[in-house]
Amino acid sequence: MSLHTIFLILHVLGAGLLVGVVFFSLVLSIKKPLDIARLKIIKYVGNFGVYAAVWLLLTGAVLFWNEHQEFQAKRLFWIKMVLFVVDGIIAERLIRTKVESAIASNNPESVSRSLPVWTYASALVIILIVSFGVLIATPE
């Protein structure tokens, strides 16, 4: 097994973890009633999303470094990178901020409408990222 294959497997495992975090958070945010305990779980699980994102950046950097000529020419790769940043903004700046403020104010109702919208948006972006990743890795 080549080093490239090992890093590709590690990259896919990180993507799987991130997909799991996003969908778990989505399910928790849409299940009613939304309470403080569920918000704390979403916050805790979100930490694994951060770890997965860092993991993806590290393994992705190695994969990019080994094949940078090929990736630089692929428009889908750059769209995937932009979407990765967009999901990071959604997850960290919108979802995490809303969850933390609702926990701090002990008011889960303050996010009961907006949180599901942002978790759906994050799930959609993650689906696009994974789809583009598969398309990029598929031989032409």
Side-chain angles (χ1 to χ4, degrees):
M1 186 177 308
S2 71
L3 194 57
H4 173 79
T5 303
I6 291 170
F7 274 98
L8 187 59
I9 290 169
L10 292 173
H11 193 70
V12 170
L13 288 174
L17 178 60
L18 190 59
V19 167
V21 166
V22 168
F23 282 101
F24 189 73
S25 298
L26 174 63
V27 168
L28 286 176
S29 72
I30 62 175
K31 191 172 179 184
K32 301 295 181 203
L34 188 62
D35 58 5
I36 294 297
R38 192 167 295 127
L39 289 174
K40 287 182 179 179
I41 293 169
I42 291 171
K43 181 180 175 187
Y44 177 74
V45 168
N47 292 331
F48 289 99
V50 173
Y51 302 141
V54 171
W55 185 261
L56 286 169
L57 285 172
L58 294 174
T59 58
V62 171
L63 293 170
F64 178 81
W65 182 260
N66 290 333
E67 300 179 34
H68 65 279
Q69 294 291 2
E70 179 184 343
F71 285 127
Q72 286 178 342
K74 291 189 177 186
R75 192 173 290 165
L76 276 182
F77 172 77
W78 295 109
I79 294 170
K80 180 183 163 189
M81 294 300 99
V82 168
L83 288 173
F84 189 77
V85 171
V86 167
D87 188 64
I89 292 168
I90 291 171
E92 284 300 309
R93 294 290 166 217
L94 298 172
I95 295 172
R96 183 181 291 269
T97 302
K98 289 180 180 300
V99 167
E100 287 176 348
S101 68
I103 291 171
S105 67
N106 200 21
N107 184 13
E109 293 83 25
S110 66
V111 295
S112 64
R113 289 188 180 178
S114 63
L115 187 61
V117 171
W118 290 115
T119 54
Y120 271 119
S122 180
L124 177 63
V125 172
I126 289 296
I127 289 169
L128 288 172
I129 291 169
V130 170
S131 299
F132 289 161
V134 169
L135 288 174
I136 291 166
T138 304
E140 296 175 8

